[in-house]
Amino acid sequence: MVFGIMSSQQQHEMEESVNASSSVNSKRGRKPGRNSNKNGEHKGDMKAKLERSRQSARECRARKKLRYQYLEELVTHRERSVLVLRRELDQYRQWCIDMDDGKMPEGIERLVEEVRRERDLQIQMNQLNAASHTPRPPTRSDETDMIESPS
């Protein structure tokens, strides 16, 4: 920079002038002695601020602990669900092997009967929904109302 060409005395004078001008015009940073009337008040404020910070940290740790407990329970529940589904899949695979061998697997008749009942129930529900959503045919009074009130 320019400092390499100047003598050390000139560098020192330039640094002092820069520091003096920046301290006068600078409005950044904390000003010592401002906004603190007494040291006792300042220490009390700092103690209160530290206590609030500690309390906030305790609450944050408690929230974090609850969040991790919830996630662990969720993972445990999902793992159990996966195990149940794996057992069911293994049972279906075994049934397929048995049927390929020409055997009637145990429990498949009960499953087929449950599926039939569920299918019949679904058909009935669809029929009821279709019947409730169909518009009713107009009656004689509806026809006279339509003629008398022009829209």
Side-chain angles (χ1 to χ4, degrees), residues 18-37:
V18 168
N19 290 338
S21 66
S22 66
S23 66
V24 171
N25 294 333
S26 175
K27 294 188 180 191
R28 290 188 176 178
R30 294 176 51 192
K31 306 290 188 278
R34 288 193 96 141
N35 295 335
S36 62
N37 297 338

Side-chain angles (χ1 to χ4, degrees), residues 1 8 23 29 35 38 41 55 64 66 72 82-83 85 90 106 113 122-123 125 131 140:
M1 287 220 203
S8 63
S23 66
N35 295 335
K38 298 179 182 176
E41 283 182 22
Q55 180 64 28
K64 183 178 180 181
L66 286 173
E72 285 174 0
V82 167
L83 287 175
L85 291 171
D90 289 340
E106 292 180 28
E113 212 33 60
Q122 187 65 37
I123 289 170
M125 293 294 289
R140 183 93 170 143

